[in-house]
Amino acid sequence: MEVEELIWKYALANAYAHKGKANPKAVIGKVLGENPVLRPKAREIIPLVNEIVERVNSLTPEEQGAKLREVYPEFFEEKKGKEERRGLPPLPRAQRGKVVTRFAPNPDGAFHLGNARAAVLSHEYARMYDGKFILRFDDTDPKVKRPEPIFYEWIKEDLDWLNFRIDEIHAASDRLELYYSYAEKLISMGKAYVCTCPPERFRELRDRGLACPHREEPVEVQLERWRKMLNGGYREGEAVVRIKTDLKHPNPAVRDWPALRIIDNPNHPRTGNKYRVWPLYNFASAIDDHELGVTHIFRGQEHAENETKQRYIYDYFGWEYPVTVHHGRLSIEGVILSKSKTRKGIKEGKYLGWDDPRLGTIRALRRRGIRPEAIRELII
């Protein structure tokens, strides 16, 4: 296709999509982006684009439409195809009646639009395939991301407002004995160990791709240390259960990652001080996804590293890892979604509460007058 004809094609399509006014920059981007061979000729092409865009913008919308049908009839077929494809695409390896999805929020703050993407996709696909949708509270960090009773209730209320049908509800903090049993199995198999190195010393060895001195000690010694962790023989920060991985893995964070640690006086809102050994996110999540029969996981792209870590556990037990769909972040320009920043703003009096209409929490959007159907449709 001649360069001039190509420019006419993109300029008319851009004008048609933007109320009769093509944007020269958008047209240049399209011409050079989809035709890399033309990039070396950019200096010659830019003036030509500007000239053609000016001519296109001088036409009436009817004239633009007629010309577009003449030079780019496929545009209307593609547009029709896109309209027909509205809705969710098929889910890989999905069988009707056998899809199990989960949404696993941390109840340390209000449910917000950033969380809603994983939640809506999980729920919509479960319903689309006549499957099961699980709400699992990821509440095993009573120290840094401390759960609060009110947020368990608010998350359920917000999901109800979004017209979710929840098939099962679980709290990770109710399942600590289950995590302990799997930790002990892994230690007995020689796939996990108790590390008592100071954190900075372990990081130094890890970054050099070297083994911690406790890594290859006998299983009997490891099990004794494990029982000592459970029985109060170590204090917070003195012992950690680590999953054995590849010490030469290109990402140091994957090397012998921590699975369980001690928290003194956790005062957890559900279990009080009954437990002192708490699983970290990747361990609890991996075990629960298997135990609850989760087949498909929807998570942000920033969690791709978590899958790499969790697959070690799945491989050790011979389990099949769920199908994982990673998605980008969802945000609103100028709106705070971070729970820590929101909490800080509320504390400082900048916001009136978790439902302040300037925030991106579901409660705030609801108060602003946004409808639940709009949020679901946006994400779908």
Side-chain angles (χ1 to χ4, degrees), residues 112-235:
H112 59 73
L113 190 64
N115 309 133
R117 195 169 202 173
V120 169
L121 291 174
S122 299
H123 183 260
E124 292 295 320
Y125 273 117
R127 300 285 77 93
M128 182 172 157
Y129 284 94
D130 298 325
K132 185 193 292 184
F133 172 76
I134 297 170
L135 171 61
R136 173 188 169 272
F137 289 110
D138 178 27
D139 60 349
T140 61
D141 186 353
K143 188 176 182 182
V144 180
K145 294 186 175 181
R146 185 173 178 76
E148 296 178 37
I150 187 68
F151 297 125
Y152 291 87
E153 296 309 313
W154 280 11
I155 289 168
K156 286 189 280 189
E157 286 174 15
D158 290 344
L159 291 174
D160 183 60
W161 179 72
L162 286 165
N163 297 313
F164 277 47
R165 191 173 85 240
I166 302 169
D167 298 298
E168 292 180 15
I169 299 178
H170 300 276
S173 58
D174 293 341
R175 301 164 67 81
L176 266 70
E177 301 288 349
L178 176 70
Y179 307 138
Y180 291 171
S181 70
Y182 276 109
E184 191 157 323
K185 283 177 189 173
L186 286 164
I187 293 169
S188 299
M189 292 161 64
K191 303 300 184 183
Y193 64 98
V194 177
C195 169
T196 58
C197 293
E200 58 280 2
R201 173 61 178 154
F202 176 81
R203 278 194 296 272
E204 181 190 328
L205 291 168
R206 178 200 68 183
D207 292 347
R208 290 164 58 198
L210 299 175
C212 149
H214 312 292
R215 192 179 200 262
E216 300 305 332
E217 289 181 336
V219 166
E220 297 73 30
V221 174
Q222 305 292 359
L223 288 170
E224 189 180 325
R225 284 206 192 102
W226 165 241
R227 292 183 193 110
K228 194 174 171 185
M229 282 181 71
L230 295 174
N231 297 334
Y234 293 112
R235 299 187 63 184

Side-chain angles (χ1 to χ4, degrees), residues 271-331:
T271 60
N273 289 323
K274 181 179 179 182
Y275 300 105
R276 59 193 312 276
V277 176
W278 288 83
L280 285 116
Y281 167 80
N282 278 303
F283 188 74
S285 185
I287 299 300
D288 277 349
D289 283 340
H290 171 74
E291 283 283 325
L292 299 174
V294 172
T295 61
H296 292 76
I297 300 170
F298 298 87
R299 55 162 70 119
Q301 192 61 49
E302 69 275 14
H303 290 290
E305 180 188 286
N306 293 337
E307 178 177 343
T308 305
K309 293 179 178 179
Q310 292 170 18
R311 278 185 178 274
Y312 281 93
I313 293 176
Y314 274 71
D315 290 345
Y316 292 152
F317 286 120
W319 300 339
E320 183 180 354
Y321 198 80
V323 175
T324 310
V325 179
H326 290 105
H327 55 73
R329 287 177 179 269
L330 188 64
S331 61

Side-chain angles (χ1 to χ4, degrees), residues 10-15 18 20-30 49-50 53 56-57:
Y10 290 134
L12 287 163
N14 189 259
H18 295 92
K21 293 296 174 189
N23 181 321
K25 288 183 180 176
V27 176
I28 290 163
K30 193 83 171 167
V49 168
N50 290 332
V53 164
V56 165
N57 288 348

